[in-house]
Amino acid sequence: MHESLLQLRWLSVAAMALAAVASPFLLGPSWLMAALLSYAGAVGLLNLSLAQLARLRTQRGQADRPWFLSPPAQLGLDLLAWGGYLFLTGGATNPLISLFLPLVAIGALVLSPRQAWMLAAAAVLLYSVLWSVHVPLHVADFERAGTLHLLGMWLVFALSAVLVVGVILHLSDGIRRRDRALADAREQAIRDDWLIALGSQAASAAHALGTPLASLNILADDLLDDARLAPALAADVQAMKTELQRCRETLRDLTARADPTDNLGDNLSAGLGADSGAAPDAGPRADGAAPDRPPAPWLRSLVLDWRNRYPGKAVAFEWAIDPALESPAPLLLRADSVLERALANLLDNAVRAGASRIRITAVRQNGMLAVQIADNGSGMSPAALRAFARRRPQDSAAGLGVGLLLGRIAIERRGGSLTFARPDSGTGTVARLRLPLSESDSASGSLSEAASRSTTTLAVATHER
């Protein structure tokens, strides 16, 4: 708001200068033009200083606003500026004194009721003072003085009309933009309701599926131990056991996310026959939130784990992390299992799209982490891209793409975003994943909290399910 009031004051400076230039033609030669031009220049210089100060504070990231840039102070300054100008030009006898009314009207729109009434009282008081305290204007021709007064009244009315309409339109446009943003957010929340409900049902299903999967896992072990099992079927049973293991890991993640402090995930793992040598997942912090991790080690571990899931896939898999990311850095990523599942789901889609080559590179750019995952798969279809933009599932032979949409919601709820685009090669799809970074405790002591926030940009080439 203070930017709009500063811009509005330039109109006042222009009006003061224009009236000063016109004074010799209306009132005859006198000292008045030089005095008024000097006054208008002083007001313009003050406004320029305030604008530069506001710009410097914005560039430095200083969100707090000093009192002299607040709307009440700005409108009070405008009132005093015009009061001084009118003092030199006849006071209350000058028709320009009606310009107090637009200032009071603007105050009624942007100020609190108490401040608006105080501004109106100040305008009335200043008007009353200028009635008797002013520098009189001397016009020899009485008839000419009446004509000039009527002309001034018309000019003030025109300026007031333009000023009030312009300010009200500007404010109403801001209100309309805010209402549109609120409506868009409300519609997005409504569109996401079915996905949120689906996630809740998935957490409940994880509990119900534990016993059947444990039974299937035992049956698979019995079949593998049976000497009568045909060798041709042994590979199929082993593949089934591997898929059961994947289901077990998925259910363990679901139950762990449902209650990070509950040991249900561990109980489920034991019931499904978890390997005793498996490395446990990183647990939550003491406050129940996801742990903060350095981005490079987290990415390396995630990519290696994902690669080990597809040992038999004929995919040339390459990945590299910039050596600059290996050095100790103060930036940390709030990485939980939901986020890991969202990123791994993007990589899964690349395999399902028939990619024979996947290359992942990670570099540090201007204090940000940029990861690009490129593959030579078939890419997302135009229909899938439109469905993702509308936040709706896309029915296809490979699935509905619900995992991708759930991942998008998980990313957005963590302050990030996920978008897709075609790569320069024309093959595959590029998904851009943005995630917020935070500073480690060791570095936050020397920097302010405002400067400790950054954004991670992950460019991920993948495909719709």
Side-chain angles (χ1 to χ4, degrees):
M1 176 56 64
H2 69 273
E3 293 89 350
S4 300
L5 294 178
L6 290 173
Q7 295 174 2
L8 187 62
R9 187 171 298 118
W10 288 118
L11 295 179
S12 297
V13 173
M16 291 178 183
L18 182 62
V21 173
S23 63
F25 302 97
L26 300 176
L27 304 175
S30 68
W31 58 271
L32 189 60
M33 185 180 73
L36 294 181
L37 285 177
S38 300
Y39 187 87
V43 175
L45 184 61
L46 177 60
N47 194 49
L48 180 62
S49 301
L50 292 175
Q52 290 293 337
L53 179 60
R55 186 178 298 108
L56 287 175
R57 294 181 66 86
T58 301
Q59 293 175 352
R60 295 173 181 174
Q62 297 176 339
D64 58 321
R65 183 176 55 194
W67 66 269
F68 52 83
L69 288 178
S70 62
Q74 292 297 303
L75 290 173
L77 178 60
D78 288 330
L79 193 64
L80 291 176
W82 275 111
Y85 192 86
L86 293 170
F87 169 79
L88 298 174
T89 55
T93 62
N94 190 332
L96 292 179
I97 199 169
S98 298
L99 289 176
F100 284 176
L101 286 177
L103 295 177
V104 174
I106 294 172
L109 289 173
V110 302
L111 301 180
S112 64
R114 180 181 179 182
Q115 294 172 343
W117 281 112
M118 292 178 62
L119 182 66
V124 172
L125 178 61
L126 188 57
Y127 192 115
S128 303
V129 172
L130 291 174
W131 190 276
S132 56
V133 180
H134 59 268
V135 177
L137 292 178
H138 298 285
V139 181
D141 190 348
F142 180 78
E143 183 177 355
R144 180 181 176 83
T147 302
L148 290 176
H149 189 80
L150 293 176
L151 179 63
M153 292 176 61
W154 176 87
L155 181 63
V156 168
F157 175 80
L159 289 176
S160 300
V162 171
L163 210 60
V164 171
V165 170
V167 171
I168 292 178
L169 288 179
H170 178 75
L171 293 176
S172 60
D173 182 65
I175 294 174
R176 283 193 294 268
R177 289 197 302 268
R178 183 199 62 185
D179 291 342
R180 283 196 299 268
L182 291 175
D184 292 342
R186 185 163 49 249
E187 291 176 2
Q188 178 175 329
I190 294 174
R191 289 194 299 265
D192 291 344
D193 279 345
W194 71 274
L195 283 173
I196 297 173
L198 181 62
S200 300
Q201 293 175 6
S204 300
H207 297 270
L209 289 175
T211 300
L213 287 176
S215 300
L216 290 175
N217 189 70
I218 294 174
L219 290 175
D221 288 336
D222 292 342
L223 288 174
L224 291 175
D225 293 338
D226 192 347
R228 296 173 297 175
L229 181 66
L233 297 178
D236 295 337
V237 175
Q238 183 62 46
M240 181 178 66
K241 183 175 176 60
T242 301
E243 294 302 319
L244 288 173
Q245 180 73 8
R246 289 186 58 188
C247 293
R248 178 190 65 80
E249 294 174 355
T250 300
L251 292 180
R252 182 178 59 186
D253 290 342
L254 283 173
T255 52
R257 295 279 66 78
D259 186 1
T261 61
D262 194 3
N263 60 356
L264 181 59
D266 297 334
N267 295 335
L268 181 61
S269 300
L272 293 178
D275 297 335
S276 59
D281 292 339
R285 301 187 308 181
D287 57 1
D292 293 330
R293 305 177 185 176
W298 174 74
L299 280 172
R300 187 187 303 106
S301 175
L302 176 64
V303 172
L304 288 177
D305 290 343
W306 179 87
R307 185 179 183 181
N308 291 333
R309 289 172 51 193
Y310 298 95
K313 294 290 185 179
V315 177
F317 190 90
E318 303 174 1
W319 65 278
I321 295 181
D322 189 348
L325 294 174
E326 304 296 341
S327 59
L331 296 179
L332 296 176
L333 179 66
R334 181 66 56 83
D336 56 10
S337 296
V338 177
L339 181 58
E340 292 174 356
R341 181 63 254 170
L343 186 56
N345 186 64
L346 297 175
L347 302 177
D348 292 342
N349 293 334
V351 174
R352 295 189 183 98
S356 61
R357 177 177 54 83
I358 299 177
R359 178 173 178 80
I360 300 179
T361 58
V363 296
R364 184 177 183 179
Q365 296 176 349
N366 299 326
M368 300 174 66
L369 181 68
V371 178
Q372 179 172 324
I373 304 178
D375 65 77
N376 59 348
S378 59
M380 293 178 65
S381 64
L385 288 173
R386 289 193 298 269
F388 182 82
R390 295 195 302 267
R391 313 174 76 87
R392 290 297 181 187
Q394 172 65 25
D395 193 4
S396 65
L400 296 174
V402 174
L404 188 61
L405 292 176
L406 288 174
R408 176 180 183 174
I409 291 180
I411 292 168
E412 290 177 348
R413 289 183 177 275
R414 284 155 180 78
S417 63
L418 178 63
T419 58
F420 287 90
R422 300 289 293 183
D424 296 336
S425 62
T427 303
T429 304
V430 174
R432 292 182 175 86
L433 173 66
R434 295 174 58 88
L435 291 170
L437 286 174
S438 61
E439 275 200 352
S440 63
D441 295 337
S442 59
S444 60
S446 58
L447 297 176
S448 64
E449 180 181 359
S452 67
R453 296 176 182 173
S454 179
T455 303
T456 303
T457 302
L458 308 180
V460 183
T462 183
H463 308 273
E464 174 63 282
R465 300 186 66 174

